Amino acid sequence: MIRAEEVIGTIRAGLEREARVNLHDHPIELSFADGVITIAGEVGGVAAKKLALEIAARPQPVSGVVDRLRVEPSEQMEDGAIRDHVCNALASEPAFMQYAVQAIVKQGLEEVRGTAQRGLERVLEVEVNEGVVTLNGRAESVSHKRLAGVLAWWVPGSRDVVNGIEVWSDTEENDDELVDLIRIVLEKDPLVNAAQITVRSNAGAVTLEGAVPTPNNKRAAESDAWYVLGVNEVVNNLVVTG
């Protein structure tokens, strides 16, 4: 039988080899029992979070992962402020004009826009607890679900986004749909000129190519891609021309 120490050691070695996780600046705690690895701590960005979870799930004895990783926020915000920002972003997004937007405050449902009742076909529910944004409700496509998640991640105080939105259409998840949504996200980011960027995806591994004027533009484009649910790797081949 493989001991817990061996599993944890294998995972920690993998985390140390992945520079984007950066254990030196952002230590991660690991525990293993009954086939389940629990990974906890604060990481520098959503890329580090996704990569750390993928590394933790690799060893053969691991049958499940408990995710307690949080992303270091770019700005400290109270839960109420985060919730308001997320709700406002969803309510002002043209793609969600036909959606009811509702906030869960102290386990009660508050209407932001639309009728405050459950069971609607197009409804987005927002709850925030210790910086973790939980999205629930029902959406018409995977792209709508993914877009809601990105808008939640864009709020500076968000430390994690748990996207539990149900999709009621028959839209299939595929690379073309993922690429289209990433292009939409890039077009919405004022730090990015989407016309300069080519996006490709292969089973969730996204490649960005093209030319951008500054390193900040390059970093912003990569972050935007990582924020999209279903993206598990980003190869940033953008060339900085400035």
Side-chain angles (χ1 to χ4, degrees):
M1 179 179 293
I2 300 177
R3 295 183 302 173
E5 292 82 358
E6 295 174 357
V7 175
I8 291 173
T10 298
I11 294 171
R12 190 166 297 281
L15 294 173
E16 290 173 348
R17 287 192 296 268
E18 177 51 72
R20 289 171 290 183
V21 174
N22 192 356
L23 286 184
H24 177 73
D25 291 338
H26 299 279
I28 287 176
E29 298 177 3
L30 300 167
S31 60
F32 181 71
D34 300 324
V36 176
I37 187 77
T38 299
I39 180 167
E42 186 175 73
V43 292
V46 67
K49 175 181 171 67
K50 286 187 173 182
L51 291 166
L53 292 173
E54 190 273 331
I55 292 169
R58 283 180 193 169
Q60 189 65 36
V62 175
S63 58
V65 178
V66 175
D67 173 16
R68 291 179 181 163
L69 288 177
R70 301 293 179 261
V71 172
E72 183 180 18
S74 58
E75 179 181 330
Q76 295 294 333
M77 297 175 66
E78 297 293 332
D79 286 349
I82 297 171
R83 184 178 60 248
D84 290 346
H85 278 76
V86 175
C87 288
N88 290 338
L90 295 174
S92 61
E93 167 54 47
F96 297 130
M97 283 297 104
Q98 297 181 349
Y99 281 69
V101 178
Q102 301 164 359
I104 298 178
V105 183
K106 297 180 180 179
Q107 299 182 337
L109 202 61
E110 293 188 2
E111 175 185 338
V112 177
R113 186 187 64 208
T115 305
Q117 59 180 331
R118 296 180 183 272
L120 297 176
E121 283 195 334
R122 294 180 176 89
V123 59
L124 302 173
E125 297 177 359
V126 180
E127 185 175 10
V128 182
N129 184 22
E130 296 184 355
V132 178
V133 180
T134 300
L135 300 175
N136 284 307
R138 304 191 75 205
E140 60 194 279
S141 73
V142 176
S143 289
H144 284 81
K145 174 176 179 172
R146 286 171 166 157
L147 179 57
V150 173
L151 294 177
W153 270 119
W154 274 352
V155 174
S158 296
R159 303 187 67 217
D160 196 6
V161 175
V162 180
N163 196 334
I165 297 172
E166 298 180 12
V167 176
W168 50 262
S169 74
D170 295 328
T171 304
E172 294 183 1
E173 295 188 52
N174 55 60
D175 283 316
D176 290 340
E177 183 273 338
L178 188 61
V179 167
D180 288 344
L181 192 277
I182 293 172
R183 287 198 182 109
I184 290 172
V185 171
L186 294 176
E187 289 169 358
K188 291 181 180 297
D189 190 341
L191 293 177
V192 176
N193 184 348
Q196 299 175 310
I197 300 174
T198 299
V199 182
R200 293 184 288 107
S201 176
N202 182 13
V206 172
T207 301
L208 304 177
E209 296 177 328
V212 293
T214 71
N216 281 343
N217 301 139
K218 179 175 181 176
R219 285 191 293 269
E222 179 175 341
S223 294
D224 289 342
W226 275 113
Y227 286 137
V228 176
L229 184 68
V231 172
N232 51 50
E233 179 60 91
V234 178
V235 179
N236 192 343
N237 291 333
L238 294 173
V239 177
V240 178
T241 58

